[in-house]
Amino acid sequence: MGRGFPRFCWIILSWILVSCIHQVQLSEPQSTGGCDYFQGSWVFDQTYPLYNTSDCPFIEKEFDCQANGRPDQLYLKYRWKPTDCLLPRFNAEDFLRKFKGKKIMFIGDSLSLNQWQSLTCMLHSSLPRSNYSIHREGQLSTFYLPEYEVSLMLSRNAFLVDVVEEKMGTVLKLDSIGNGESWKGYDFLIFNTWHWWLHKGRKQPGQINPATDSTYKGGLPPAVTVVNEVLKNMSMPVVLLDITRLSQMRKDGHPSIYTGLMGNDCSHWCLAGVPDTWNEILYAILANRET
């Protein structure tokens, strides 16, 4: 797999995801049958969060809501519970053993940064004695754990397609992904886009706790239908990490005014927080595929 694209192309489209993963068999005894990780509810769990941001020396300032003065901690104490099974708790040592020697790349906008940052903190905080290096060159950031030969890359690419300068100005070439040459040679690609395509207006601040099925009134964005249709016709094996609904229920998880910067951020997520759950689900699915 070192020369071309990976066997599996994992797509994460934050906020517009549909339920495309069903009957994912867990590797440890749970309920009979399969498990849809994406249908469930948020439950209070005193053992959360998975890490303390003070144990993650490289965390982005704007994601560290506690350090930026957020007075409450209740938002840190929720765990995602699928309806018909249990979501395995993240195990950093198991993750690194399973993916020893692997190269995993996140490709997308600042929400990909949010998730990549979450995973690097989850790993480092669980294994603080392991050496690591973190390096950024241009739009590529690399977190590397030499003991396990595991590399986690982040390629900042908001639109995925090529962006070029023409006489008329900056143009998105919807039929061109020449920049995708740089994605070759990785074992797993995790894509995220859409967030920048429909930017307009400002979001309202969220509430102090999660919504439930009975209190959440919002629907899925219309782009969900498009994504679903495209995935049906793809020849490359693709798994859609359907995190839209579980994320939409967590208005309390946004940084809001606690970014250390000017403004009110209701697009990204506090860390520790909701992106950790994205990574717990990702870990469960990846580990199952590698078993």
Side-chain angles (χ1 to χ4, degrees):
M1 294 195 298
R3 295 181 180 177
F5 289 105
R7 291 174 298 165
F8 298 104
C9 188
W10 303 86
I11 290 190
I12 299 176
L13 299 168
S14 302
W15 286 104
I16 65 164
L17 305 189
V18 293
S19 185
C20 281
I21 305 178
H22 294 285
Q23 303 302 312
V24 178
Q25 196 69 36
L26 298 177
S27 58
E28 61 188 61
Q30 304 288 351
S31 60
T32 58
C35 174
D36 182 349
Y37 289 125
F38 310 109
Q39 300 299 318
S41 59
W42 291 96
V43 296
F44 183 83
D45 190 329
Q46 190 62 50
T47 68
Y48 275 62
L50 297 174
Y51 57 91
N52 190 318
T53 52
S54 63
D55 297 327
C56 187
F58 44 80
I59 189 171
E60 299 287 326
K61 175 183 179 181
E62 57 265 37
F63 299 153
D64 193 350
C65 299
Q66 288 294 301
N68 293 324
R70 182 164 177 170
D72 65 300
Q73 295 189 8
L74 186 61
Y75 72 98
L76 295 169
K77 300 296 183 181
Y78 289 99
R79 169 175 57 84
W80 178 248
K81 182 181 181 303
T83 302
D84 298 321
C85 58
L86 296 177
L87 178 63
R89 191 179 180 93
F90 184 78
N91 185 315
E93 290 186 354
D94 181 65
F95 180 96
L96 293 171
R97 281 196 302 269
K98 280 185 167 64
F99 303 109
K100 183 178 177 65
K102 301 293 186 182
K103 297 169 66 178
I104 301 172
M105 177 179 275
F106 291 81
I107 304 165
D109 55 30
S110 54
L111 289 177
S112 287
L113 169 62
N114 224 179
Q115 184 175 11
W116 175 80
Q117 181 89 89
S118 162
L119 185 55
T120 58
C121 284
M122 289 165 71
L123 292 171
H124 172 69
S125 299
S126 298
L127 302 167
R129 296 182 181 179
S130 292
N131 292 325
Y132 72 91
S133 65
I134 190 164
H135 175 71
R136 178 175 178 178
E137 183 173 345
Q139 296 301 307
L140 181 66
S141 299
T142 303
F143 177 79
Y144 180 61
L145 289 163
E147 181 181 351
Y148 296 92
E149 301 175 12
V150 170
S151 298
L152 298 178
M153 284 81 164
L154 170 69
S155 177
R156 293 290 293 270
N157 188 325
F159 297 102
L160 301 184
V161 297
D162 293 328
V163 182
V164 298
E165 294 296 330
E166 307 231 347
K167 290 182 179 180
M168 67 180 70
T170 303
V171 175
L172 289 175
K173 300 189 70 174
L174 302 183
D175 60 347
S176 176
I177 312 182
N179 66 81
E181 288 294 314
S182 64
W183 306 340
K184 293 182 177 180
Y186 293 88
D187 297 288
F188 296 98
L189 300 176
I190 304 170
F191 293 98
N192 159 62
T193 188
W194 184 78
H195 184 67
W196 277 91
W197 293 84
L198 299 174
H199 265 237
K200 60 181 179 180
R202 289 191 174 273
K203 305 297 183 184
Q204 293 296 317
Q207 55 200 49
I208 295 306
N209 39 34
T212 64
D213 282 337
S214 61
T215 62
Y216 178 71
K217 304 301 182 183
L220 294 174
V224 165
T225 302
V226 177
V227 173
N228 213 6
E229 289 301 315
V230 170
L231 293 183
K232 288 179 182 178
N233 298 315
M234 289 185 65
S235 58
M236 168 71 75
V238 174
V239 173
L240 185 60
L241 190 60
D242 184 4
I243 58 173
T244 297
R245 185 169 178 80
L246 66 87
S247 300
Q248 287 177 318
M249 296 169 74
R250 290 298 310 274
K251 292 182 179 180
D252 61 310
H254 295 298
S256 186
I257 61 174
Y258 302 107
T259 63
L261 306 172
M262 296 293 292
N264 187 355
D265 184 354
C266 291
S267 297
H268 302 102
W269 301 91
C270 293
L271 296 181
V274 174
D276 304 332
T277 294
W278 304 347
N279 285 320
E280 283 194 288
I281 297 174
L282 178 66
Y283 159 67
I285 296 173
L286 287 176
N288 181 72
R289 288 291 181 121
E290 289 296 296
T291 300

